[in-house]
Amino acid sequence: MIDRSRRALVSDTTDVKLESRLEEQETFEPPKSFVEQANVTNPAIRTEFEENWPECWERAAEFLSWDREYDSVVDAANAPQYEWFTGGRLNASYNCLDRHIEDGAKNRAAIKWEGELGETRTYTYGELLNEVEAFAAALREMGVEAGDVVTLYLPMVPELPIAMLACARLGAPHSVVFAGFSADALATRMQSSDSEYLVTCDGYYRRGEALNHGQKVKNGLRNVDHDVESIVVDRLGDESHLSFGDGTHDYGALVAEHEGTSVPAVSRDAEDVLFLLYTSGTTGQPKGVEHATGGYLSYVAWTAHAVLDLEPTDTHWCTADVGWITGHSYVVYGPLALGATTFMYEGTPDYPDRDRFWKLIEKNRVDVFYTAPTAIRAFMKWGKEYPANHDLSSLRLLGSVGEPIDPHAWKWYYKHIGGEECPVVDTWWQTETGGTMVTTVPGIDTMKPGAAGPALPGIDARVVDADGSPVASGNAGYLVIRNPWPGMLRTLYGNDERFRSEYWGEYSDPDEDEWIYFPEDGAKIDDDGYITVLGRVDDVINVSGHRLGTMEIESAIVDVAGVAEAAVVGADHDVKGEAVYAYVVLKNGEEPTVAMRDRIVESVEDGIGPIARPEKVVFTSELPKTRSDKIMRRLLENIANGEELGDTSTLRNPDAVDTIARQVGDD
Ligand code: PRX
């Protein structure tokens, strides 16, 4: 363990000197104390993977126990729907639970949880398996079979990973809907995936207040056309979970009833779907990203080992909500596949005070901490005294994910949370990639704040121009991935065509059977191969690390009576990264009143959720459009950011721009 107790002795003057030294420093070597114990320390690993591709991926598959060995590592016959570890059979729940118990980990903590009000729960691997089996038995009795999609609409409570693992045990793909999403968002996802089962809860706590999740569920279910069987977790400890009406079951009663039932883990084909996770894209409809059992689980286990450096003895805290991919991969499947302890916290970082996270790290002796730049920026704003008052010496590695982290925030994190003794991994990846793709391997790579890092071993990431030719180092271009990898999505639920066009349409050459994945991010690459991700180049914005589709927000706005047209863009925001700016044109005769603004905000909250709430609603008489009638979102972004306006000569209505800019300025 690293001794950082001396940090408290550092005087303020030394601090200022350190601060300015750090600000000038462009690269950082991994701390020696870290390297000495790291999981991956051989720099030759990249060459080894490259020379031995695709067999190198057997190394990922070796992290799992297979019921049947696979016949081939990758099958490209149906590219770009690549198949991984074909012929292999396994069960994800068995890999996350039973086999660790067989290896003697029965009494090791699998999940440690703290509620916002301070209550705690620990599930050992033995206890977790018991509850997963009991719940799987209940689901089975209800009729859930391999292949049935079970929707999980739960906040950060242990029942969420338990339900995920119970589904995995039966071979039923889960579809987790982030609890912060609205009733409409729940209904759309359940409709789209034909999901007839729902696991949810009555409420949960935010800043000390109980949120009425149950009401959202009831509203959502009204818009689902087919019958749904619901199971409700009693989170609030009152009777409200029983008020869901006929056809609903009490989670606690079901688990008690099936306690002690053994449910064999169903052996699944490596290519069988493990889960669906809906995410935002260019159109108004979220897309159901489909991940397969063998490839996904191998990839998250391997990356949790190589990048997060996880050991079975570690307590890992990934602060992401399990409702997003980061939570799936690095709260649940990655850490549990490796037999580590995963820590979950229900609430916000500033409740009851701004040191809640640091208290939790101290109390739980967290080894690896993985969070988002938006949180780091908030911590910086609140001040270094909050972490300084806690013993963070248990930390060994820090991670960042979800959006670009600027060098200033990186260095603050490195110094004030890591005490300059923990490597920081800035991990670039997406819902679609399953696990991290571009980042430093912490035991071998030099860190360059601002740049995520080189591509991981076995990943061929490049930065190209619009024609697909490499861009000169340092110039902006588009990020592309050339070879497939085990954690990649298999398709979009029920829409192979959209899968092909969305990700493989831009740069691939199907006639030559050359497939290139386009993640829709802009990037630049330095001479040393380090990649800086610049952000989305499609109509997706990133608010506090949450991926939102501008079209989805726009469609919620035009649902409001009296609204004629809307355009949504992301404006720079010092904590959230991006904030939602909505430009709205009203129908003739409508007034831009406060009430109208409120209705717009409410409609976005109802359609998507409070995370998509517009920071600013700008009423305007028209939107800037090209002659072919496309809204020029780039100009609206410039206006929102108070930037120089780019070329307006291609506009059909150049005057509109000045008017809008004035309106934003006046507001
Ligand atoms: O734009 C990139 C950004 O988040 C997008 C993916 O969002 P989502 O599918 O919700 O997954 C988020 C967590 C993996 C990417 O297309 N992004 C993610 N990580 C980074 C990032 N941008 C810059 N640096 C990162 N480390």
Side-chain angles (χ1 to χ4, degrees):
M1 192 179 298
I2 299 160
D3 172 23
R4 270 190 274 120
S5 46
R6 62 193 164 71
R7 281 170 65 205
L9 303 175
V10 174
S11 72
D12 278 355
T13 21
T14 328
D15 225 29
V16 171
K17 274 193 206 149
L18 265 177
E19 214 72 75
S20 58
R21 189 221 347 114
L22 273 182
E23 280 310 317
E24 280 161 27
Q25 195 172 334
E26 283 178 3
T27 59
F28 294 77
E29 291 310 318
K32 207 163 151 257
S33 53
F34 177 85
V35 176
E36 277 164 3
Q37 60 75 59
N39 284 342
V40 177
T41 50
N42 184 357
I45 188 170
R46 281 202 168 78
T47 339
E48 277 169 23
F49 266 60
E50 204 175 311
E51 288 170 356
N52 194 26
W53 198 93
E55 281 70 31
C56 55
W57 288 116
E58 297 200 33
R59 187 136 167 201
E62 279 163 18
F63 280 92
L64 306 183
S65 297
W66 296 80
D67 303 337
R68 183 186 183 280
E69 269 306 305
Y70 48 87
D71 304 316
S72 73
V73 173
V74 62
D75 180 348
N78 195 24
Q81 283 174 284
Y82 292 92
E83 298 189 352
W84 285 88
F85 308 121
T86 53
R89 299 195 73 86
L90 76 166
N91 180 284
S93 147
Y94 174 82
N95 271 279
C96 291
L97 299 168
D98 311 55
R99 63 170 178 149
H100 303 315
I101 296 168
E102 288 160 18
D103 288 347
K106 183 165 174 253
N107 296 322
R108 187 190 306 151
I111 298 179
K112 277 180 142 189
W113 174 85
E114 184 157 324
E116 207 189 55
L117 304 181
E119 66 274 52
T120 58
R121 279 197 250 164
T122 298
Y123 291 79
T124 63
Y125 272 93
E127 289 163 342
L128 189 59
L129 176 60
N130 281 347
E131 189 153 331
V132 166
E133 284 195 277
F135 190 51
L139 289 174
R140 194 176 53 182
E141 194 178 274
M142 224 168 258
V144 174
E145 287 177 4
D148 290 341
V149 177
V150 179
T151 301
L152 310 178
Y153 187 40
L154 283 165
M156 288 292 278
V157 289
E159 287 81 0
L160 178 49
I162 290 168
M164 291 163 80
L165 293 168
C167 290
R169 199 160 190 88
L170 299 175
H174 51 72
S175 165
V176 179
V177 178
F178 172 54
F181 278 145
S182 67
D184 286 357
L186 170 70
T188 318
R189 285 157 178 76
M190 290 196 76
Q191 284 278 104
S192 154
S193 59
D194 307 309
S195 173
E196 295 176 354
Y197 302 94
L198 171 68
V199 187
T200 186
C201 70
D202 49 358
Y204 56 102
Y205 294 95
R206 270 296 172 280
R207 295 204 165 80
E209 262 186 55
L211 298 189
N212 190 346
H213 194 60
Q215 192 54 51
K216 278 203 303 192
V217 176
K218 289 177 204 165
N219 294 346
L221 286 178
R222 271 187 218 120
N223 290 326
V224 178
D225 295 337
H226 53 263
D227 288 342
V228 174
E229 266 198 86
S230 310
I231 299 161
V232 186
V233 173
D234 174 15
R235 167 73 190 109
L236 300 181
D238 55 22
E239 297 295 296
S240 54
H241 68 293
L242 300 174
S243 71
F244 278 61
D246 292 344
T248 60
H249 308 261
D250 172 10
Y251 174 92
L254 286 179
V255 165
E257 190 188 325
H258 293 90
E259 167 87 59
T261 315
S262 137
V263 177
V266 174
S267 194
R268 300 285 280 160
D269 190 280
E271 277 299 307
D272 281 340
V273 184
L274 179 60
F275 65 85
L276 303 181
L277 185 59
Y278 281 83
T279 189
S280 297
T282 312
T283 72
Q285 283 305 314
K287 42 194 185 182
V289 168
E290 219 176 279
H291 279 292
T293 311
Y296 171 82
L297 200 62
S298 322
Y299 196 68
V300 295
W302 154 248
T303 48
H305 166 87
V307 178
L308 298 178
D309 200 54
L310 279 192
E311 290 283 348
T313 45
D314 282 336
T315 296
H316 173 56
W317 184 14
C318 166
T319 66
D321 192 290
V322 173
W324 301 86
I325 191 67
T326 311
H328 279 57
S329 302
Y330 301 114
V331 176
V332 183
Y333 285 114
L336 296 181
L338 295 182
T341 301
T342 188
F343 177 73
M344 286 174 76
Y345 168 57
E346 177 186 41
T348 50
D350 54 351
Y351 187 84
D353 205 348
R354 291 171 165 177
D355 65 347
R356 184 67 183 264
F357 274 20
W358 321 126
K359 258 191 179 150
L360 289 169
I361 290 177
E362 180 170 11
K363 180 172 156 194
N364 294 284
R365 309 297 300 154
V366 170
D367 299 273
V368 176
F369 180 64
Y370 192 26
T371 195
T374 184
I376 299 167
R377 291 189 295 263
F379 303 147
M380 287 170 73
K381 226 174 178 175
W382 297 340
K384 58 180 191 262
E385 55 279 15
Y386 291 101
N389 286 333
H390 292 277
D391 175 8
L392 305 181
S393 61
S394 61
L395 291 173
R396 183 173 87 242
L397 175 95
L398 301 175
S400 171
V401 58
E403 42 172 333
I405 177 165
D406 65 277
H408 188 57
W410 192 104
K411 289 172 184 176
W412 190 92
Y413 192 33
Y414 178 72
K415 177 169 190 295
H416 295 289
I417 309 304
E420 299 190 58
E421 300 199 34
C422 303
V424 174
V425 286
D426 171 5
T427 60
W428 174 87
W429 56 292
Q430 313 179 294
T431 307
E432 292 87 343
T433 68
T436 177
M437 302 282 284
V438 175
T439 178
T440 48
V441 175
I444 43 184
D445 293 325
T446 302
M447 297 168 276
K448 275 192 2 183
L456 280 180
I459 302 296
D460 185 349
R462 303 185 185 188
V463 178
V464 298
D465 63 18
D467 301 325
S469 313
V471 295
S473 67
N475 287 357
Y478 303 99
L479 184 62
V480 294
I481 316 286
R482 285 186 73 95
N483 283 329
W485 65 99
M488 66 197 299
L489 78 165
R490 293 304 187 266
T491 190
L492 294 174
Y493 184 77
N495 204 341
D496 292 348
E497 201 33 59
R498 187 170 171 197
F499 164 77
R500 283 178 174 251
S501 62
E502 193 121 334
Y503 304 107
W504 310 91
E506 206 81 28
Y507 292 104
S508 304
D509 186 351
D511 295 337
E512 294 293 317
D513 207 18
E514 186 186 45
W515 297 99
I516 296 176
Y517 176 82
F518 179 43
E520 312 211 53
D521 269 315
K524 68 186 180 73
I525 189 162
D526 295 338
D527 284 335
D528 52 13
Y530 275 56
I531 293 171
T532 300
V533 179
L534 302 169
R536 303 286 302 198
V537 293
D538 57 359
D539 295 327
V540 165
I541 57 178
N542 196 327
V543 178
S544 300
H546 294 143
R547 174 168 162 182
L548 301 172
T550 50
M551 299 274 277
E552 289 169 60
I553 306 176
E554 287 165 8
S555 93
I557 297 176
V558 295
D559 276 351
V560 176
V563 171
E565 216 180 354
V568 163
V569 299
D572 296 343
H573 188 280
D574 60 354
V575 174
K576 296 180 186 173
E578 284 186 291
V580 176
Y581 266 48
Y583 297 88
V584 179
V585 180
L586 296 178
K587 288 185 179 150
N588 271 344
E590 294 289 341
E591 289 299 317
T593 56
V594 172
M596 175 61 89
R597 188 180 302 249
D598 291 347
R599 281 202 292 280
I600 288 171
V601 170
E602 199 180 300
S603 180
V604 172
E605 292 196 355
D606 288 348
I608 299 150
I611 43 164
R613 181 190 295 138
E615 182 92 2
K616 206 161 193 173
V617 177
V618 182
F619 291 107
T620 171
S621 50
E622 52 183 332
L623 296 170
K625 291 197 178 156
T626 62
R627 290 195 186 91
S628 55
D629 229 26
K630 268 186 79 173
I631 298 171
M632 288 281 278
R633 288 197 172 70
R634 183 179 48 78
L635 285 175
L636 293 173
E637 253 170 51
N638 293 152
I639 295 172
N641 292 330
E643 293 161 351
E644 278 289 299
L645 298 185
D647 183 11
T648 55
S649 62
T650 54
L651 288 183
R652 184 166 52 74
N653 52 350
D655 295 346
V657 178
D658 292 334
T659 322
I660 302 171
R662 261 199 314 278
Q663 269 158 325
V664 173
D666 289 349
D667 254 11

